[in-house]
Amino acid sequence: MSRMVTGIIPPYPGRRFKNLWNNPERPMQCQPEQLVTDGQPDQGFAPVRTLAVIVRHVLSTVWLLCLVHAGIGCSADREEPVAAVGLSPPNIILILVDDLGVEGIGCYGGDLVPTPRIDRLAAEGARFTAAHTTPLCTPTRVRLMTGRGGLRNYVDFAILDPGEATFATQLRAAGYATGVTGKWQLTGRNLSQKAGLHNGSTPNGAGFDTWCLWQVGARGSRYFDPLLEIDGVETSLKGKYGPDVFKDWAKDFMDKSRDQPFLLYYPMALPHDPFDGTPDSKPAPKGENNAKRAQRHFQDMVAHIDKIVGELVDHAASLGIADNTLVIFTTDNSHSGKVWLTAGGAPVFGSKEAPIESGTHVPLIAYWPGQVAAGSEVHDLVDLMDLMPTVVEAGGAALPTGVAIDGVSLLPRLTQGEPLGREALAFWYDPRPIGDDSDPVRWARSATHKLYDDGRLVRITAGDLEAPDTDPIQRALLREALARLPEPRIRVQPESGR
């Protein structure tokens, strides 16, 4: 699906997202393209390429049958979970891009910047067509890492509550080496601290043994001459390019951890503004203005994302661990309204921060040779908070006890083709409750419609557009989904996950 645009869309006006919803001047135009609402992916396994992989599958089957015969491995209330697939727990690489809509990826219809390595992941794995999240970084990162909706645990922008369990805490407890590199921005911000709210989470407190991150403490540059924190030590790297430092650190972590299962979480800094370009960017042509330079650099940054993804996948192959490594690729929200991508040759400006369909629909790809069917498409409704229970189950770890986990594991869908059976997703969004007068927003989405908490029902049309609708069945369905959202928690004392 592509979002077709004619003319020029004015940049999104900051955090006042109501202005964007109700803007009658938004010059969008749909292609006559049908929205896919259901369907089943190819449930066959990808061709097994080597004898070693065949042997591993046979032994894995015998191992699982033994577990079933012993009365473990299939019980929903077992105390000691085991790896869901394979003889040993898989390595897990989770890549989260910062600010990139679906139009940035070729296999989702984007045609401005080639993304051959990401497209190859989808061709050899599974591509989700209906993955959704909140339209801004911190709300998405908190729900992704904890598997819990914002009404349960969201405090404020740039904060991950230190009482929350994450996929990293659970996998570390199960024996995984855990590393994180890229953008952190979860330890708190000045407005929250002045309001008396506690600080956010450190990388170690969130479950990571080792890290190389931007904005754990001081902000500094994330791109050229970056200011980073590496395992607790603030380091200024003159002459370096931050995303390449993160990538090299990730490869080194894989080298050091290859003999045990590892979790590599890579929340990228790219391609968030400032649009500084990359080491591959060419010098500015004569007479280029700032807007054109930003657009050119943004495109270079998207290309660099694809390059980095390819290098990480290739590195796993060079270490001989690719067949037992689950790679997940996604993004946290749409791209900035200051820049554009194209789909079907037409420009598409970003909808970052706006809780409309084009701001919340994100790419999601899962690649796991021999376990995830190559070339499969998953049309089930998915929330990015599903990734927490997914990777925890894949690693044979236990979910945190005593708290509600809202996400649902995608592993049975990926490896066995079991439909999720969801009729709707529901979201709550209030990214900056401290120092911002925007009202919280709630919405629910089915495969075809969306209901906002102000009563507006819209039909999702081609290109992630929203058209007013009056369908009474959809309204009733989505009202029920909204009613199932938990009651708001007190932000200063959010429900603790551990």
Side-chain angles (χ1 to χ4, degrees):
M1 295 182 293
S2 58
R3 190 163 70 257
M4 308 305 299
V5 181
T6 59
I8 299 298
I9 295 182
Y12 172 60
R15 296 191 293 274
R16 303 300 183 265
F17 33 75
K18 291 183 178 178
N19 293 342
L20 181 61
W21 295 353
N22 302 321
N23 182 3
E25 302 300 322
R26 186 176 173 90
M28 289 188 170
Q29 187 175 25
C30 301
Q31 274 190 323
E33 182 178 345
Q34 185 176 359
L35 179 68
V36 177
T37 60
D38 57 14
Q40 300 295 327
D42 178 5
Q43 296 184 19
F45 284 106
V48 179
R49 292 170 290 181
T50 66
L51 179 61
V53 175
I54 295 174
V55 171
R56 183 166 68 87
H57 283 308
V58 172
L59 292 175
S60 176
T61 301
V62 172
W63 178 75
L64 288 171
L65 288 173
C66 290
L67 289 176
V68 173
H69 180 71
I72 61 175
C74 295
S75 172
D77 57 357
R78 56 186 165 86
E79 293 185 359
E80 296 296 333
V82 293
V85 182
L87 283 176
S88 60
N91 306 306
I92 299 167
I93 300 175
L94 174 52
I95 300 170
L96 178 71
V97 171
D98 193 11
D99 290 1
L100 189 65
V102 291
E103 303 85 5
I105 310 298
C107 62
Y108 283 87
D111 50 22
L112 181 63
V113 182
T115 54
R117 297 311 304 267
I118 298 171
D119 297 346
R120 181 175 169 184
L121 279 185
E124 298 180 358
R127 184 179 75 95
F128 290 79
T129 62
H132 297 267
T133 186
T134 49
L136 194 62
C137 52
T138 302
T140 288
R141 291 157 196 267
V142 170
R143 72 190 298 113
L144 183 152
M145 294 177 71
T146 66
R148 287 151 54 79
L151 280 166
R152 297 193 191 277
N153 63 3
Y154 192 77
V155 178
D156 193 23
F157 187 79
I159 286 181
L160 169 62
D161 183 81
E164 287 291 305
T166 70
F167 52 64
T169 61
Q170 304 312 110
L171 288 170
R172 181 165 68 179
Y176 269 68
T178 56
V180 57
T181 189
K183 170 182 172 178
W184 188 244
Q185 201 184 57
L186 293 171
T187 53
R189 66 183 185 129
N190 290 335
L191 282 175
S192 303
Q193 294 161 8
K194 289 178 180 178
L197 296 177
H198 52 265
N199 291 334
S201 296
T202 64
N204 185 260
F208 295 100
D209 302 320
T210 183
W211 61 90
C212 173
L213 292 164
W214 173 74
Q215 205 181 346
V216 176
R219 189 175 175 93
S221 170
R222 75 194 83 181
Y223 294 132
F224 292 100
D225 302 328
L227 178 63
L228 309 179
E229 180 175 303
I230 303 174
D231 293 337
V233 179
E234 193 172 279
T235 306
S236 179
L237 299 173
K238 298 296 183 183
K240 300 291 185 179
Y241 184 61
D244 287 344
V245 175
F246 302 142
K247 177 255 300 177
D248 291 340
W249 186 95
K251 291 164 71 172
D252 185 62
F253 173 76
M254 294 164 67
D255 292 341
K256 294 175 180 177
S257 308
R258 60 184 297 182
D259 294 328
Q260 69 178 107
F262 65 77
L263 164 70
L264 171 60
Y265 178 41
Y266 188 1
M268 285 190 176
L270 290 165
H272 194 291
D273 63 356
F275 303 117
D276 289 345
T278 76
D280 298 326
S281 294
K282 297 179 180 179
K286 185 177 180 179
E288 182 181 60
N289 61 32
N290 290 337
K292 289 183 177 179
R293 182 180 301 110
Q295 178 63 33
R296 179 171 59 84
H297 281 170
F298 171 67
Q299 293 173 210
D300 292 343
M301 294 160 86
V302 174
H304 210 71
I305 292 169
D306 190 72
K307 179 180 177 180
I308 289 172
V309 170
E311 285 195 36
L312 292 181
V313 174
D314 289 346
H315 194 67
S318 73
L319 295 176
I321 61 174
D323 284 343
N324 197 37
T325 299
L326 168 62
V327 180
I328 299 174
F329 173 90
T330 189
T331 73
D332 61 357
N333 47 253
S334 178
H335 50 288
S336 167
K338 301 174 184 176
V339 290
W340 48 271
L341 295 163
T342 64
V348 181
F349 283 80
S351 300
K352 175 182 176 179
E353 297 195 54
I356 56 177
E357 185 71 8
S358 55
T360 65
H361 182 202
V362 293
L364 176 60
I365 297 168
Y367 167 79
W368 190 0
Q371 306 296 347
V372 174
S376 58
E377 290 197 345
V378 181
H379 303 298
D380 302 71
L381 289 170
V382 169
D383 187 320
L384 285 196
M385 69 181 174
D386 295 334
L387 294 182
M388 187 273 194
T390 299
V391 300
V392 166
E393 181 181 0
L399 291 172
T401 59
V403 294
I405 298 297
D406 301 308
V408 176
S409 174
L410 305 176
L411 202 65
R413 186 68 172 106
L414 285 169
T415 62
Q416 302 166 42
E418 296 181 6
L420 295 178
R422 268 188 181 139
E423 291 187 313
L425 301 172
F427 295 87
W428 170 90
Y429 177 62
D430 189 11
R432 295 179 173 91
I434 307 300
D436 190 325
D437 58 359
S438 291
D439 295 328
V441 181
R442 303 186 193 206
W443 68 92
R445 189 202 189 281
S446 69
T448 58
H449 287 72
K450 190 172 181 181
L451 177 67
Y452 292 99
D453 60 355
D454 63 3
R456 288 177 300 121
L457 179 69
V458 297
R459 176 172 46 87
I460 307 303
T461 66
D464 287 345
L465 299 180
E466 301 181 354
D469 206 309
T470 59
D471 188 316
I473 296 176
Q474 286 292 323
R475 181 177 291 278
L477 169 69
L478 296 174
R479 274 180 176 168
E480 290 180 3
L482 283 176
R484 288 193 294 270
L485 283 171
E487 290 299 314
R489 311 294 294 189
I490 299 174
R491 293 190 185 96
V492 180
Q493 298 290 338
E495 178 188 351
S496 177
R498 60 186 166 110

